[in-house]
Amino acid sequence: MTSSAGQVSEIAERFVHFAEEARGSSALYAMLSRDISDDHELLQLLLVAPPSQRRPNLLFAAAHDLLLEEPEHDVARYYASVSETAISPDEQAFKLFRDFCLSNRSRLRATIATRHTQTNEVRRSAAFVPIFQRICAEEPIALVEVGASAGLNLLVDRFRFRYDDGPWIGASDSPVAIQCNVQGRAPPTRMHGVEVACRIGIDTRPLDVSNAHDARWLMACVWPEQRDRLELLRSVLDVARSDPPQLVKGDAIEVLEEVALGIPPHLTICLFNSATLCYFTDAECAAFVSVADRIARERELHWLSLEGGTRQTFGARLPFDALYKPRSTDRPTDIFGILGYARWRGTQREDRVAARADMHGRWIEWMEDL
Ligand SMILES: C[S@@+](CC[C@H](N)C(=O)[O-])C[C@H]1O[C@@H](n2cnc3c(N)ncnc32)[C@H](O)[C@@H]1O
């Protein structure tokens, strides 16, 4: 068992890496991370979380959550999410952040002990749309999302999308407008929207958009400078509150089969997941694939999986390593995802790499014909 000092030094390492990762996306978090990595008292705050959750994002989200609730503290002036006139981080920023965290120590600990980072990024659904459109061309589809968080990507038929400067497609009057840039080959989109007959999300800790604290937590998981993501999230929450998606609480490996087989038999099921398999062990990934194989024996099933390239969605059969290469024009910290698409012919699964995509849905590069 690792000693408390050993655990703190592991957390410190994570902040050192995070400072690098956040550079270019959040000057504030990058700067704070460097100083936090040397601050025993702040690092210790994360010890109340389970080991897998002791990550910089959790401390930052817990502090952000508190500031969204009570924006009076001086550190708020560095948070573009909270202050209209936010300033760039300077030499005062860490001192104020530290003071804010330590004076709210017990409230932060309570959040860190009970919450997980569950960023729900709807721009990721831009990667799924071309395949959903194709499958629903004849009949509306049933969407089943594993690792749904608040289930916002299940509402894909209530958003509109544009790829590069092409036409807007989908729900033409939707307040949720998702712009996705194209790198290389464009995705094969169609003009019609996605027709959804039913939608169910599965999550071990589903977030409820109608609950003010859950909704604020979703905002808190977004980095403060990313105003465009926060605005988009606000508009999605408005849409979601009027008719929230159905969410099932449970471990996907245990409940997915029952959920899928409970869907009316005439509907084609589109199972999808994004930024979720990083939480699975290799054995859990393999078990997930077996559950999907079993469902496909009973039902017509399509499976779309948008995950970071280090997590091999369908087992080792896709050439992820070859695809998971930053290009010369990319920043080293850019995060790539691979969109895998599996279909079954009889009991045989056919796995394909449909696209490479930014894990925050900012761009997509289509890889092959469907
Ligand atoms: C980073 S969030 C991604 C949410 C959403 N898929 C998206 O792309 O916006 C990952 C979600 O997976 C959920 N999760 C992790 N392990 C799970 C499991 N075994 N079964 C169901 N959900 C799980 C977490 O609770 C979390 O809400």
Side-chain angles (χ1 to χ4, degrees):
M1 196 176 186
T2 325
S3 66
S4 163
Q7 293 174 19
V8 170
S9 85
E10 265 174 38
I11 300 171
E13 270 303 296
R14 290 180 182 166
F15 276 94
V16 172
H17 288 299
F18 192 79
E20 197 48 38
E21 209 181 302
R23 208 162 48 92
S25 300
S26 172
L28 179 63
Y29 284 2
M31 183 189 227
L32 294 176
S33 287
R34 277 191 294 277
D35 288 325
I36 295 170
S37 69
D38 274 336
D39 192 302
H40 197 79
E41 263 185 294
L42 287 181
L43 293 170
Q44 270 192 320
L45 291 174
L46 277 170
L47 286 179
V48 293
S52 63
Q53 285 292 316
R54 292 174 189 163
R55 303 196 166 270
N57 261 328
L58 183 58
L59 174 64
F60 285 128
H64 195 193
D65 182 57
L66 202 53
L67 272 175
L68 289 168
E69 188 185 13
E70 295 173 10
E72 293 79 26
H73 193 280
D74 281 347
V75 76
R77 67 173 183 248
Y78 300 105
Y79 280 72
S81 53
V82 177
S83 163
E84 280 294 317
T85 53
I87 57 171
S88 303
D90 53 23
E91 63 287 353
Q92 285 293 306
F94 175 66
K95 189 182 160 306
L96 289 171
F97 180 80
R98 183 173 200 279
D99 170 72
F100 177 70
C101 289
L102 296 182
S103 55
N104 288 289
R105 199 189 296 247
S106 55
R107 292 169 76 190
L108 281 185
R109 278 214 182 100
T111 305
I112 289 168
T114 51
R115 292 271 181 195
H116 288 186
T117 45
Q118 291 183 267
T119 313
N120 204 176
E121 176 53 69
V122 291
R123 289 193 306 197
R124 291 182 186 131
S125 54
F128 299 132
V129 163
I131 301 180
F132 287 162
Q133 279 186 321
R134 191 185 164 91
I135 304 167
C136 76
E138 306 291 323
E139 295 282 343
I141 49 177
L143 296 180
V144 177
E145 182 179 11
V146 159
S149 181
L152 302 180
N153 281 314
L154 286 162
L155 306 176
V156 56
D157 54 327
R158 299 189 204 149
F159 309 154
R160 58 197 164 102
F161 295 86
R162 188 168 70 162
Y163 298 84
D164 262 357
D165 52 4
W168 285 99
I169 57 178
S172 54
D173 54 353
S174 175
V176 181
I178 296 176
Q179 168 74 42
C180 180
N181 297 324
V182 174
Q183 290 197 358
R185 191 170 176 189
T189 51
R190 301 167 178 213
M191 279 313 290
H192 66 81
V194 177
E195 297 278 333
V196 178
C198 84
R199 63 193 100 222
I200 308 179
I202 299 171
D203 203 289
T204 39
R205 311 162 65 90
L207 293 174
D208 175 4
V209 289
S210 327
N211 173 306
H213 200 169
D214 280 3
R216 196 179 67 226
W217 182 246
L218 286 169
M219 305 285 292
C221 289
V222 178
W223 297 0
E225 291 96 333
Q226 298 177 331
R227 275 193 172 135
D228 56 334
R229 289 180 68 202
L230 286 161
E231 266 165 39
L232 184 66
L233 180 56
R234 266 191 206 103
S235 65
V236 179
L237 287 172
D238 286 344
V239 168
R241 276 188 206 102
S242 64
D243 186 7
Q246 180 189 349
L247 297 177
V248 173
K249 182 178 167 72
D251 186 320
I253 294 156
E254 287 161 20
V255 303
L256 172 61
E257 194 166 358
E258 192 182 338
V259 166
L261 298 183
I263 288 171
H266 65 283
L267 294 174
T268 297
I269 300 176
C270 291
L271 168 67
F272 70 102
N273 52 272
S274 56
T276 293
L277 299 187
C278 50
Y279 298 94
F280 286 37
T281 62
D282 286 349
E284 286 166 342
C285 273
F288 183 30
V289 174
S290 305
V291 174
D293 279 334
R294 280 206 300 279
I295 297 168
R297 271 184 229 130
E298 308 288 326
R299 298 291 302 267
E300 185 176 353
L301 181 69
H302 299 251
W303 181 12
L304 290 70
S305 180
L306 175 64
E307 298 289 342
T310 49
R311 175 52 75 201
Q312 300 186 348
T313 298
F314 305 124
R317 296 206 269 147
L318 293 180
F320 281 100
D321 289 342
L323 288 161
Y324 199 65
K325 274 189 201 141
R327 300 153 216 259
S328 56
T329 49
D330 298 326
R331 291 167 312 166
T333 51
D334 275 347
I335 307 167
F336 292 90
I338 303 295
L339 175 65
Y341 176 35
R343 297 195 59 183
W344 283 258
R345 310 246 177 240
T347 54
Q348 281 304 305
R349 200 178 65 244
E350 281 176 9
D351 303 336
R352 296 171 180 196
V353 174
R356 276 169 40 121
D358 167 60
M359 279 310 287
H360 283 155
R362 287 170 297 199
W363 58 262
I364 192 160
E365 175 185 4
W366 211 256
M367 303 297 289
E368 67 165 274
D369 296 330
L370 295 175

